[in-house]
Amino acid sequence: MLVCPTTRSKILRFLPEGGEVAEIGVANGDFSQEILTHASPRKLHLIDPWERQERSDYANDPSNVSTHQQDDRYNAVLARFSKEITGGTISVHREYSKNAAAAFADGQLDWIYIDGMHTVEAAYDDLVTYAPKIRAEGFIIGHDYTNHVQARDWNFGVVEAVNRFVLERGYEFVALTIEGFPTYVLTRNKDSARQMTEFLIRNVPYVVEVRDFPQKHQFEHKALTGKQGTLVYPSF
Ligand SMILES: C[S@@+](CC[C@H](N)C(=O)[O-])C[C@H]1O[C@@H](n2cnc3c(N)ncnc32)[C@H](O)[C@@H]1O
């Protein structure tokens, strides 16, 4: 696995262009816009219920906004991408990810970006549910691979979910960005892993390899707090 001093937006440039792709968890469509700009998909599926959820394990997550705000976000996404929706490049699925999965055939998607509910169970369910929908050479990418203090307060369990999924299903953990809220890249295809690794080494300065991850290493997103504020950094 390569630890990459880069951002999730830049990672999009290393993915195959012109694919059929999906984003789980859309909110205002900010990252959907980045996907359109940097990965030029021929088809982008946006999946989000845009619904306030009354459940204790999601109560602290700042994405769980009020019903009124969810409606505003949904309408803003429809307006923001009206040209792409009319032209057929974007399909909007106002549904929970589990329900939306039925719309996709096995192997239909080239890659997916998972950024929906971040509890361990929900993040793991998204991985397991959508893995068969990605073609064999494709990629699973996702946000918020972090267990720093803030993330734990919001009940994020993406680190546990991704590690469990990778170990159980034999996926390769290809890359992790170094950010406050890191993005992970997975694939089950050895050639795709090798190609992506080579792209990253050639194009991202100062990558660091962590061998046998997550089999042999624990990831901790540590926080350093001082007069100048709080900084997070990855520790293995
Ligand atoms: C962190 S936000 C997404 C941010 C967006 N990906 C971005 O980077 O701009 C998480 C979103 O996931 C949505 N969400 C929550 N549970 C979901 C589920 N079960 N299926 C799909 N989306 C879900 C929320 O409504 C919220 O809009």
Side-chain angles (χ1 to χ4, degrees):
M1 187 271 278
L2 294 181
V3 183
C4 299
T6 190
T7 63
R8 61 177 184 156
S9 299
K10 292 206 174 115
I11 283 285
L12 291 173
R13 298 174 191 168
F14 302 116
L15 291 164
E17 280 194 3
E20 179 165 1
V21 308
E23 181 184 20
I24 296 177
V26 177
N28 295 300
D30 292 344
F31 198 63
S32 323
Q33 184 63 63
E34 299 278 309
I35 294 173
L36 274 185
T37 307
H38 299 300
S40 313
R42 71 173 186 283
K43 182 84 187 178
L44 170 58
H45 297 273
L46 301 182
I47 303 164
D48 195 312
W50 285 285
E51 185 168 77
R52 162 89 190 163
Q53 297 179 59
E54 299 300 343
R55 40 187 291 175
S56 59
D57 61 352
Y58 195 44
N60 289 347
D61 190 318
S63 292
N64 192 19
V65 297
S66 70
T67 301
H68 177 67
Q69 284 172 291
Q70 293 283 10
D71 285 339
D72 283 353
R73 287 180 172 191
Y74 172 64
N75 290 322
V77 165
L78 293 186
R80 183 174 193 170
F81 300 118
S82 63
K83 190 165 62 85
E84 290 81 5
I85 293 168
T86 308
T89 307
I90 287 188
S91 286
V92 178
H93 307 247
R94 191 175 189 179
E95 284 186 276
Y96 287 93
S97 48
K98 210 168 189 76
N99 301 336
F104 304 100
D106 282 357
Q108 182 175 333
L109 301 173
D110 292 281
W111 54 266
I112 193 162
Y113 192 77
I114 299 180
D115 192 15
M117 192 188 279
H118 291 357
T119 61
V120 186
E121 297 75 19
Y124 180 75
D125 273 0
D126 280 342
L127 288 162
V128 169
T129 305
Y130 280 87
K133 312 294 183 187
I134 315 298
R135 70 182 173 90
E137 301 78 17
F139 294 92
I140 298 176
I141 302 138
H143 200 210
D144 296 326
Y145 187 90
T146 168
N147 48 20
H148 56 53
V149 188
Q150 178 81 90
R152 275 190 251 125
D153 190 44
W154 294 340
N155 201 26
F156 282 14
V158 177
V159 173
E160 292 89 329
V162 172
N163 291 358
R164 186 176 146 202
F165 173 80
V166 165
L167 295 174
E168 279 177 5
R169 310 269 164 152
Y171 272 66
E172 186 146 343
F173 202 128
V174 183
L176 184 67
T177 62
I178 304 184
E179 296 177 273
F181 294 89
T183 281
Y184 60 87
V185 181
L186 317 177
T187 184
R188 63 182 154 133
N189 183 273
K190 293 250 171 288
D191 287 336
S192 300
R194 202 172 322 113
Q195 278 166 23
M196 173 67 82
T197 301
E198 188 177 330
F199 273 147
L200 292 169
I201 292 170
R202 289 194 187 282
N203 292 288
V204 179
Y206 311 119
V207 295
V208 174
E209 183 187 39
V210 179
R211 275 176 285 168
D212 297 320
F213 185 78
Q215 288 87 341
K216 295 211 176 134
H217 300 275
Q218 299 281 312
F219 167 82
E220 193 187 341
H221 214 185
K222 287 194 171 175
L224 179 72
T225 303
K227 282 191 192 133
Q228 292 159 308
T230 298
L231 281 174
V232 289
Y233 60 100
S235 168
F236 293 88

